[in-house]
Amino acid sequence: MKHRPTLQATSRLVCGLALLVGQSWYGLQSMAQTNNAYPDRPIKIIVPYTPGGGTDTVTRRLVERISADNPKWQFVVDNKAGGGGNIGMDVVAKSRPDGYTLGMGQTANLAINPALLPKMSFDATKDFTPIALVAAQPMVVVVKADSSWKTLSEMVDAGKNKPNSLRQALAGTGTVGHLAGELFAKRAGFKALNVPYKGAAPAITDLLGGQTDYMLATPQAVLGMLQATPSQPARLKALAVTSTRRLSILPTIPTVAESGFKDFEAVDWKAVAAPAGLPPAIAKSIHAVIENALKNPAFIAKLADDGSAPMGASQEQSAKYIASEQQMWGALIKDAGIKNE
């Protein structure tokens, strides 16, 4: 025999359903209000390097542009240097994924270090939400101004004729310049002798002194020495840049690809990342304001002054690009047997 529900039970059921629907609606409203209100306080963006460096400069210019275009968006830049960029990015990885802590990752800490270092305090493939690719800066292949090599191909021929005779100056083991040089030597078919230094300055000093033969350096580090002045002749000569396009600040210098090494590209990129688990709506908001800033002519001009160029990509494309860079640099480090010395 079936029992019909009593009026009291039915009332309780209806009230319960009403309460559940009300709670769900309230939750959805709260979520929508939260997303619409974001950001309602300053956003901290961690730069994992010291103030004044390339990553710091790009970050500050980016957030200044975003804030100028969107007064509601305010940022606090927090420099946490050390560990080749790992210390700062570790803080990002372990922060609450609420959109109020971001990090400016780059080639070294998100793609090179995971393959180069025996231990990492974070997983670069799992602990971040990639937001946007910001800027890319190539390396410049430089030699002494009085070098007999006039082209990159001539330098490569010298390396092939006498294996291990070319001495490449490194700003440090595991730097983008180091790895880009390794990648180029592999593609070009010669073997170089790497000479590591503790920074770009001493590496360039020995290059000028003839203790080494060439170097892949950042544009900022060598631009002044590539240009002659009334009182000082040029001290370095640029043979090529490692980007797919020529630099506006070095318009006469060909790319590596133009020099006969098809499809070659190796750049130091910067990308905004958040902790894993960031709500998609917030990620979308951050991505949108960054993409808008990357189209600003004044911002583009400032990047060009440092030899950089805006990148820009969808969130999905950004994630795929970072993953491909991790795979490329990881394979190179393994094949070449490069170790952090």
Side-chain angles (χ1 to χ4, degrees), residues 41-314:
R41 61 182 185 273
I43 300 167
K44 179 167 68 176
I45 184 163
I46 293 175
V47 175
Y49 298 99
T50 55
T55 303
D56 179 72
T57 300
V58 169
T59 303
R60 292 178 187 275
R61 286 175 175 171
L62 175 67
V63 298
E64 286 172 4
R65 184 71 260 162
I66 293 174
S67 295
D69 294 337
N70 310 272
K72 175 183 175 183
W73 291 68
Q74 298 298 316
F75 295 85
V76 175
V77 178
D78 187 4
N79 295 87
K80 292 187 180 298
N86 283 4
I87 290 177
M89 293 310 292
D90 182 60
V91 173
V92 177
K94 292 176 171 56
S95 296
R96 186 177 177 182
D98 56 6
Y100 290 98
T101 301
L102 306 175
M104 186 63 83
Q106 48 106 248
T107 313
N109 49 55
L110 291 183
I112 293 176
N113 289 354
L116 182 68
L117 303 179
K119 291 184 179 180
M120 292 281 289
S121 57
F122 57 83
D123 187 330
T125 65
K126 297 179 180 179
D127 291 346
F128 299 102
T129 299
I131 302 294
L133 297 174
V134 176
Q137 182 184 63
M139 300 293 112
V140 184
V141 185
V142 293
V143 296
K144 285 181 63 178
D146 60 1
S147 171
S148 61
W149 302 324
K150 295 181 174 61
T151 66
L152 189 62
S153 293
E154 290 180 0
M155 188 189 86
V156 170
D157 288 342
K160 288 182 175 179
N161 292 334
K162 292 184 179 181
N164 294 305
S165 64
L166 295 189
R167 298 159 298 177
Q168 179 184 202
L170 309 178
T173 301
T175 59
V176 177
H178 174 197
L179 273 295
E182 291 278 5
L183 181 64
F184 174 67
K186 181 179 179 181
R187 297 271 184 90
F190 73 95
K191 182 69 176 177
L193 176 65
N194 292 316
V195 184
Y197 293 85
K198 293 183 178 179
I204 293 171
T205 297
D206 271 11
L207 176 62
L208 293 169
Q211 283 80 24
T212 56
D213 299 302
Y214 74 102
M215 179 179 178
L216 274 73
T218 63
Q220 305 104 303
V222 297
L223 185 61
M225 286 173 273
L226 293 172
Q227 300 170 333
T229 66
S231 60
Q232 175 73 54
R235 303 173 68 193
L236 291 174
K237 176 167 54 179
L239 300 182
V241 294
T242 62
S243 51
T244 56
R245 295 182 180 180
R246 296 191 183 194
L247 295 181
S248 60
I249 58 173
L250 295 170
T252 64
I253 307 305
T255 66
V256 172
E258 287 178 315
S259 303
F261 305 93
K262 187 178 179 181
D263 298 329
F264 185 88
E265 181 186 24
V267 296
D268 181 15
W269 45 262
K270 279 82 174 172
V272 173
L278 182 71
I282 293 179
K284 183 178 180 180
S285 295
I286 301 170
H287 178 268
V289 296
I290 293 174
E291 284 293 302
N292 188 58
L294 297 184
K295 298 173 184 176
N296 182 275
F299 178 72
I300 294 172
K302 287 183 178 180
L303 288 179
D305 289 342
D306 295 331
S308 297
M311 295 185 76
S314 68

